[in-house]
Structures are given as structure tokens and as C-alpha cells.
mmCIF file of all heavy atoms in Angstrom:
data_model
loop_
_atom_site.group_PDB
_atom_site.id
_atom_site.type_symbol
_atom_site.label_atom_id
_atom_site.label_comp_id
_atom_site.label_asym_id
_atom_site.label_seq_id
_atom_site.Cartn_x
_atom_site.Cartn_y
_atom_site.Cartn_z
ATOM 1 N N ASN Q 87 0.829 -1.196 0.000
ATOM 2 C CA ASN Q 87 0.000 0.000 0.000
ATOM 3 C C ASN Q 87 0.871 1.255 0.000
ATOM 4 O O ASN Q 87 0.559 2.252 0.625
ATOM 5 C CB ASN Q 87 -0.920 0.004 1.226
ATOM 6 C CG ASN Q 87 -1.850 -1.198 1.252
ATOM 7 O OD1 ASN Q 87 -2.866 -1.216 0.590
ATOM 8 N ND2 ASN Q 87 -1.472 -2.218 2.011
ATOM 9 N N TRP Q 88 2.006 1.156 -0.698
ATOM 10 C CA TRP Q 88 2.939 2.278 -0.725
ATOM 11 C C TRP Q 88 2.271 3.497 -1.356
ATOM 12 O O TRP Q 88 1.471 3.394 -2.281
ATOM 13 C CB TRP Q 88 4.199 1.898 -1.488
ATOM 14 C CG TRP Q 88 4.802 0.597 -1.043
ATOM 15 C CD1 TRP Q 88 5.103 -0.468 -1.821
ATOM 16 C CD2 TRP Q 88 5.147 0.223 0.295
ATOM 17 N NE1 TRP Q 88 5.632 -1.481 -1.061
ATOM 18 C CE2 TRP Q 88 5.662 -1.089 0.255
ATOM 19 C CE3 TRP Q 88 5.073 0.863 1.537
ATOM 20 C CZ2 TRP Q 88 6.108 -1.764 1.361
ATOM 21 C CZ3 TRP Q 88 5.510 0.188 2.661
ATOM 22 C CH2 TRP Q 88 6.026 -1.105 2.569
ATOM 23 N N ARG Q 89 2.656 4.651 -0.869
ATOM 24 C CA ARG Q 89 2.069 5.916 -1.306
ATOM 25 C C ARG Q 89 3.189 6.842 -1.760
ATOM 26 O O ARG Q 89 4.303 6.804 -1.243
ATOM 27 C CB ARG Q 89 1.293 6.544 -0.137
ATOM 28 C CG ARG Q 89 0.329 7.665 -0.506
ATOM 29 C CD ARG Q 89 -0.525 7.999 0.721
ATOM 30 N NE ARG Q 89 -1.052 6.765 1.311
ATOM 31 C CZ ARG Q 89 -2.151 6.149 0.883
ATOM 32 N NH1 ARG Q 89 -2.867 6.652 -0.112
ATOM 33 N NH2 ARG Q 89 -2.545 5.019 1.451
ATOM 34 N N ASP Q 90 2.895 7.701 -2.722
ATOM 35 C CA ASP Q 90 3.895 8.646 -3.201
ATOM 36 C C ASP Q 90 3.223 10.003 -3.398
ATOM 37 O O ASP Q 90 2.061 10.074 -3.825
ATOM 38 C CB ASP Q 90 4.518 8.167 -4.512
ATOM 39 C CG ASP Q 90 5.729 9.000 -4.904
ATOM 40 O OD1 ASP Q 90 6.713 9.003 -4.147
ATOM 41 O OD2 ASP Q 90 5.688 9.661 -5.955
ATOM 42 N N ILE Q 91 3.951 11.069 -3.091
ATOM 43 C CA ILE Q 91 3.427 12.426 -3.185
ATOM 44 C C ILE Q 91 4.440 13.311 -3.897
ATOM 45 O O ILE Q 91 5.640 13.251 -3.601
ATOM 46 C CB ILE Q 91 3.179 13.030 -1.786
ATOM 47 C CG1 ILE Q 91 2.491 12.039 -0.849
ATOM 48 C CG2 ILE Q 91 2.405 14.337 -1.907
ATOM 49 C CD1 ILE Q 91 3.405 11.442 0.190
ATOM 50 N N LYS Q 92 3.956 14.121 -4.832
ATOM 51 C CA LYS Q 92 4.776 15.177 -5.416
ATOM 52 C C LYS Q 92 3.932 16.444 -5.504
ATOM 53 O O LYS Q 92 2.696 16.396 -5.431
ATOM 54 C CB LYS Q 92 5.275 14.789 -6.812
ATOM 55 C CG LYS Q 92 6.205 13.590 -6.847
ATOM 56 C CD LYS Q 92 7.521 13.859 -6.146
ATOM 57 C CE LYS Q 92 8.521 12.720 -6.321
ATOM 58 N NZ LYS Q 92 8.055 11.441 -5.794
ATOM 59 N N THR Q 93 4.586 17.579 -5.704
ATOM 60 C CA THR Q 93 3.868 18.842 -5.790
ATOM 61 C C THR Q 93 4.235 19.561 -7.075
ATOM 62 O O THR Q 93 5.309 19.373 -7.640
ATOM 63 C CB THR Q 93 4.199 19.751 -4.592
ATOM 64 O OG1 THR Q 93 5.602 20.037 -4.590
ATOM 65 C CG2 THR Q 93 3.816 19.089 -3.283
ATOM 66 N N ARG Q 94 3.305 20.389 -7.522
ATOM 67 C CA ARG Q 94 3.567 21.347 -8.609
ATOM 68 C C ARG Q 94 2.729 22.581 -8.321
ATOM 69 O O ARG Q 94 1.521 22.495 -8.219
ATOM 70 C CB ARG Q 94 3.205 20.757 -9.972
ATOM 71 C CG ARG Q 94 3.922 21.457 -11.128
ATOM 72 C CD ARG Q 94 3.142 22.619 -11.658
ATOM 73 N NE ARG Q 94 2.158 22.171 -12.629
ATOM 74 C CZ ARG Q 94 1.119 22.897 -13.027
ATOM 75 N NH1 ARG Q 94 0.899 24.093 -12.509
ATOM 76 N NH2 ARG Q 94 0.257 22.429 -13.891
ATOM 77 N N GLY Q 95 3.411 23.714 -8.123
ATOM 78 C CA GLY Q 95 2.696 24.910 -7.728
ATOM 79 C C GLY Q 95 2.085 24.729 -6.355
ATOM 80 O O GLY Q 95 2.751 24.331 -5.398
ATOM 81 N N VAL Q 96 0.784 24.992 -6.242
ATOM 82 C CA VAL Q 96 0.100 24.907 -4.949
ATOM 83 C C VAL Q 96 -0.716 23.622 -4.822
ATOM 84 O O VAL Q 96 -1.577 23.514 -3.949
ATOM 85 C CB VAL Q 96 -0.802 26.136 -4.721
ATOM 86 C CG1 VAL Q 96 0.028 27.401 -4.663
ATOM 87 C CG2 VAL Q 96 -1.867 26.239 -5.808
ATOM 88 N N PHE Q 97 -0.422 22.634 -5.660
ATOM 89 C CA PHE Q 97 -1.176 21.378 -5.624
ATOM 90 C C PHE Q 97 -0.260 20.201 -5.318
ATOM 91 O O PHE Q 97 0.894 20.153 -5.763
ATOM 92 C CB PHE Q 97 -1.903 21.136 -6.946
ATOM 93 C CG PHE Q 97 -3.084 22.037 -7.155
ATOM 94 C CD1 PHE Q 97 -2.936 23.267 -7.779
ATOM 95 C CD2 PHE Q 97 -4.350 21.672 -6.707
ATOM 96 C CE1 PHE Q 97 -4.019 24.117 -7.961
ATOM 97 C CE2 PHE Q 97 -5.439 22.509 -6.881
ATOM 98 C CZ PHE Q 97 -5.274 23.734 -7.508
ATOM 99 N N ALA Q 98 -0.799 19.252 -4.562
ATOM 100 C CA ALA Q 98 -0.127 17.982 -4.316
ATOM 101 C C ALA Q 98 -0.850 16.892 -5.092
ATOM 102 O O ALA Q 98 -2.074 16.919 -5.245
ATOM 103 C CB ALA Q 98 -0.133 17.650 -2.825
ATOM 104 N N PHE Q 99 -0.070 15.935 -5.575
ATOM 105 C CA PHE Q 99 -0.603 14.805 -6.341
ATOM 106 C C PHE Q 99 -0.181 13.530 -5.601
ATOM 107 O O PHE Q 99 1.002 13.316 -5.360
ATOM 108 C CB PHE Q 99 -0.076 14.837 -7.771
ATOM 109 C CG PHE Q 99 -0.384 16.139 -8.465
ATOM 110 C CD1 PHE Q 99 0.513 17.200 -8.407
ATOM 111 C CD2 PHE Q 99 -1.582 16.323 -9.137
ATOM 112 C CE1 PHE Q 99 0.214 18.411 -9.016
ATOM 113 C CE2 PHE Q 99 -1.889 17.531 -9.745
ATOM 114 C CZ PHE Q 99 -0.987 18.581 -9.689
ATOM 115 N N VAL Q 100 -1.174 12.706 -5.266
ATOM 116 C CA VAL Q 100 -0.942 11.569 -4.376
ATOM 117 C C VAL Q 100 -1.411 10.290 -5.057
ATOM 118 O O VAL Q 100 -2.547 10.208 -5.533
ATOM 119 C CB VAL Q 100 -1.718 11.750 -3.054
ATOM 120 C CG1 VAL Q 100 -1.406 10.590 -2.099
ATOM 121 C CG2 VAL Q 100 -1.390 13.086 -2.407
ATOM 122 N N VAL Q 101 -0.533 9.293 -5.082
ATOM 123 C CA VAL Q 101 -0.889 7.989 -5.641
ATOM 124 C C VAL Q 101 -0.614 6.913 -4.596
ATOM 125 O O VAL Q 101 0.090 7.133 -3.613
ATOM 126 C CB VAL Q 101 -0.100 7.681 -6.929
ATOM 127 C CG1 VAL Q 101 -0.406 8.708 -8.014
ATOM 128 C CG2 VAL Q 101 1.405 7.617 -6.656
ATOM 129 N N SER Q 102 -1.187 5.735 -4.829
ATOM 130 C CA SER Q 102 -0.973 4.608 -3.921
ATOM 131 C C SER Q 102 -1.178 3.313 -4.677
ATOM 132 O O SER Q 102 -1.883 3.267 -5.693
ATOM 133 C CB SER Q 102 -1.947 4.679 -2.742
ATOM 134 O OG SER Q 102 -1.872 3.504 -1.951
ATOM 135 N N GLU Q 103 -0.588 2.251 -4.141
ATOM 136 C CA GLU Q 103 -0.825 0.915 -4.682
ATOM 137 C C GLU Q 103 -2.077 0.270 -4.110
ATOM 138 O O GLU Q 103 -2.413 -0.847 -4.498
ATOM 139 C CB GLU Q 103 0.393 0.024 -4.418
ATOM 140 C CG GLU Q 103 1.618 0.427 -5.202
ATOM 141 C CD GLU Q 103 2.769 -0.539 -5.015
ATOM 142 O OE1 GLU Q 103 2.519 -1.657 -4.526
ATOM 143 O OE2 GLU Q 103 3.895 -0.189 -5.362
ATOM 144 N N ALA Q 104 -2.765 0.955 -3.195
ATOM 145 C CA ALA Q 104 -4.049 0.435 -2.724
ATOM 146 C C ALA Q 104 -4.972 0.253 -3.921
ATOM 147 O O ALA Q 104 -5.069 1.132 -4.782
ATOM 148 C CB ALA Q 104 -4.667 1.391 -1.710
ATOM 149 N N ASN Q 105 -5.633 -0.871 -4.003
ATOM 150 C CA ASN Q 105 -6.387 -1.276 -5.193
ATOM 151 C C ASN Q 105 -7.374 -0.204 -5.646
ATOM 152 O O ASN Q 105 -8.291 0.178 -4.917
ATOM 153 C CB ASN Q 105 -7.129 -2.582 -4.900
ATOM 154 C CG ASN Q 105 -7.798 -3.136 -6.138
ATOM 155 O OD1 ASN Q 105 -7.278 -2.997 -7.244
ATOM 156 N ND2 ASN Q 105 -8.949 -3.760 -5.950
ATOM 157 N N GLY Q 106 -7.178 0.326 -6.872
ATOM 158 C CA GLY Q 106 -8.098 1.298 -7.452
ATOM 159 C C GLY Q 106 -7.950 2.708 -6.931
ATOM 160 O O GLY Q 106 -8.835 3.546 -7.160
ATOM 161 N N HIS Q 107 -6.856 3.034 -6.284
ATOM 162 C CA HIS Q 107 -6.688 4.342 -5.654
ATOM 163 C C HIS Q 107 -6.655 5.480 -6.658
ATOM 164 O O HIS Q 107 -7.254 6.532 -6.462
ATOM 165 C CB HIS Q 107 -5.407 4.348 -4.807
ATOM 166 C CG HIS Q 107 -5.139 5.627 -4.071
ATOM 167 N ND1 HIS Q 107 -4.617 6.748 -4.671
ATOM 168 C CD2 HIS Q 107 -5.335 5.948 -2.765
ATOM 169 C CE1 HIS Q 107 -4.487 7.706 -3.775
ATOM 170 N NE2 HIS Q 107 -4.902 7.245 -2.608
ATOM 171 N N GLY Q 108 -5.912 5.311 -7.766
ATOM 172 C CA GLY Q 108 -5.744 6.400 -8.718
ATOM 173 C C GLY Q 108 -4.885 7.515 -8.149
ATOM 174 O O GLY Q 108 -4.024 7.290 -7.284
ATOM 175 N N MET Q 109 -5.130 8.750 -8.609
ATOM 176 C CA MET Q 109 -4.357 9.910 -8.154
ATOM 177 C C MET Q 109 -5.285 10.939 -7.512
ATOM 178 O O MET Q 109 -6.244 11.402 -8.127
ATOM 179 C CB MET Q 109 -3.612 10.551 -9.323
ATOM 180 C CG MET Q 109 -2.779 11.777 -8.929
ATOM 181 S SD MET Q 109 -1.898 12.514 -10.324
ATOM 182 C CE MET Q 109 -3.248 13.344 -11.198
ATOM 183 N N GLN Q 110 -4.991 11.292 -6.281
ATOM 184 C CA GLN Q 110 -5.709 12.369 -5.605
ATOM 185 C C GLN Q 110 -5.020 13.701 -5.896
ATOM 186 O O GLN Q 110 -3.791 13.770 -5.994
ATOM 187 C CB GLN Q 110 -5.727 12.139 -4.092
ATOM 188 C CG GLN Q 110 -6.477 10.901 -3.650
ATOM 189 C CD GLN Q 110 -6.222 10.590 -2.178
ATOM 190 O OE1 GLN Q 110 -5.081 10.459 -1.752
ATOM 191 N NE2 GLN Q 110 -7.291 10.470 -1.406
ATOM 192 N N VAL Q 111 -5.818 14.745 -6.030
ATOM 193 C CA VAL Q 111 -5.308 16.103 -6.217
ATOM 194 C C VAL Q 111 -5.755 16.924 -5.016
ATOM 195 O O VAL Q 111 -6.941 16.929 -4.661
ATOM 196 C CB VAL Q 111 -5.838 16.728 -7.517
ATOM 197 C CG1 VAL Q 111 -5.264 18.135 -7.696
ATOM 198 C CG2 VAL Q 111 -5.492 15.847 -8.722
ATOM 199 N N PHE Q 112 -4.805 17.612 -4.383
ATOM 200 C CA PHE Q 112 -5.113 18.361 -3.166
ATOM 201 C C PHE Q 112 -4.538 19.765 -3.270
ATOM 202 O O PHE Q 112 -3.354 19.952 -3.563
ATOM 203 C CB PHE Q 112 -4.532 17.648 -1.946
ATOM 204 C CG PHE Q 112 -4.814 18.347 -0.646
ATOM 205 C CD1 PHE Q 112 -6.069 18.260 -0.058
ATOM 206 C CD2 PHE Q 112 -3.835 19.096 -0.015
ATOM 207 C CE1 PHE Q 112 -6.338 18.912 1.141
ATOM 208 C CE2 PHE Q 112 -4.087 19.747 1.173
ATOM 209 C CZ PHE Q 112 -5.341 19.662 1.759
ATOM 210 N N ASP Q 113 -5.390 20.768 -3.028
ATOM 211 C CA ASP Q 113 -4.980 22.172 -3.047
ATOM 212 C C ASP Q 113 -4.319 22.505 -1.713
ATOM 213 O O ASP Q 113 -4.986 22.599 -0.668
ATOM 214 C CB ASP Q 113 -6.199 23.064 -3.281
ATOM 215 C CG ASP Q 113 -5.825 24.526 -3.518
ATOM 216 O OD1 ASP Q 113 -4.737 24.941 -3.071
ATOM 217 O OD2 ASP Q 113 -6.629 25.259 -4.142
ATOM 218 N N LEU Q 114 -3.007 22.693 -1.751
ATOM 219 C CA LEU Q 114 -2.241 22.896 -0.525
ATOM 220 C C LEU Q 114 -2.531 24.233 0.147
ATOM 221 O O LEU Q 114 -2.198 24.417 1.327
ATOM 222 C CB LEU Q 114 -0.749 22.771 -0.835
ATOM 223 C CG LEU Q 114 -0.293 21.358 -1.240
ATOM 224 C CD1 LEU Q 114 1.016 21.428 -2.006
ATOM 225 C CD2 LEU Q 114 -0.166 20.456 -0.021
ATOM 226 N N ARG Q 115 -3.157 25.160 -0.557
ATOM 227 C CA ARG Q 115 -3.511 26.429 0.066
ATOM 228 C C ARG Q 115 -4.506 26.231 1.207
ATOM 229 O O ARG Q 115 -4.636 27.099 2.077
ATOM 230 C CB ARG Q 115 -4.075 27.383 -0.984
ATOM 231 C CG ARG Q 115 -3.027 27.877 -1.985
ATOM 232 C CD ARG Q 115 -3.638 28.644 -3.114
ATOM 233 N NE ARG Q 115 -4.454 27.788 -3.975
ATOM 234 C CZ ARG Q 115 -4.961 28.174 -5.138
ATOM 235 N NH1 ARG Q 115 -4.724 29.404 -5.590
ATOM 236 N NH2 ARG Q 115 -5.686 27.350 -5.869
ATOM 237 N N ARG Q 116 -5.194 25.118 1.219
ATOM 238 C CA ARG Q 116 -6.143 24.824 2.295
ATOM 239 C C ARG Q 116 -5.448 24.657 3.651
ATOM 240 O O ARG Q 116 -6.081 24.797 4.701
ATOM 241 C CB ARG Q 116 -6.950 23.575 1.951
ATOM 242 C CG ARG Q 116 -7.854 23.767 0.736
ATOM 243 C CD ARG Q 116 -8.359 22.442 0.174
ATOM 244 N NE ARG Q 116 -9.141 21.686 1.140
ATOM 245 C CZ ARG Q 116 -9.577 20.440 0.919
ATOM 246 N NH1 ARG Q 116 -9.285 19.829 -0.226
ATOM 247 N NH2 ARG Q 116 -10.291 19.817 1.833
ATOM 248 N N LEU Q 117 -4.141 24.377 3.623
ATOM 249 C CA LEU Q 117 -3.404 24.224 4.870
ATOM 250 C C LEU Q 117 -3.306 25.537 5.637
ATOM 251 O O LEU Q 117 -3.135 25.539 6.862
ATOM 252 C CB LEU Q 117 -2.001 23.681 4.589
ATOM 253 C CG LEU Q 117 -1.915 22.339 3.851
ATOM 254 C CD1 LEU Q 117 -0.461 21.973 3.620
ATOM 255 C CD2 LEU Q 117 -2.637 21.237 4.609
ATOM 256 N N ARG Q 118 -3.408 26.674 4.917
ATOM 257 C CA ARG Q 118 -3.252 27.978 5.564
ATOM 258 C C ARG Q 118 -4.379 28.259 6.558
ATOM 259 O O ARG Q 118 -4.196 29.015 7.517
ATOM 260 C CB ARG Q 118 -3.255 29.087 4.517
ATOM 261 C CG ARG Q 118 -2.165 29.002 3.471
ATOM 262 C CD ARG Q 118 -2.416 30.032 2.383
ATOM 263 N NE ARG Q 118 -1.469 29.921 1.283
ATOM 264 C CZ ARG Q 118 -1.616 30.529 0.106
ATOM 265 N NH1 ARG Q 118 -2.680 31.295 -0.111
ATOM 266 N NH2 ARG Q 118 -0.708 30.380 -0.841
#
């Protein structure tokens, strides 16, 4: 269930080997 994260601009892109996970997109400005 390994997970990997990278960023570009103010967005994070998250993937996982969990079955059918795909790629999540997260707006990092929400952390503020």
C-alpha cells in the first residue's frame, strides 16, 4: 500500500498501490 506524493505549484498529487486508488489532487492552500 505504498504511497507517493509530489507537488507542482500549490497542488499535491498523491498515488498509492491500494487497489483502485488512482491519483488524488489536493490544493495545498487549504493548509493555511
Side-chain angles (χ1 to χ4, degrees):
N87 300 279
W88 310 126
R89 195 170 312 276
D90 190 62
I91 316 105
K92 296 294 187 300
T93 61
R94 202 270 276 163
V96 297
F97 287 89
F99 304 91
V100 183
V101 299
S102 172
E103 292 185 16
N105 187 34
H107 182 282
M109 180 180 75
Q110 296 169 305
V111 181
F112 180 77
D113 188 336
L114 293 159
R115 290 172 292 189
R116 295 165 60 187
L117 302 178
R118 300 171 185 167

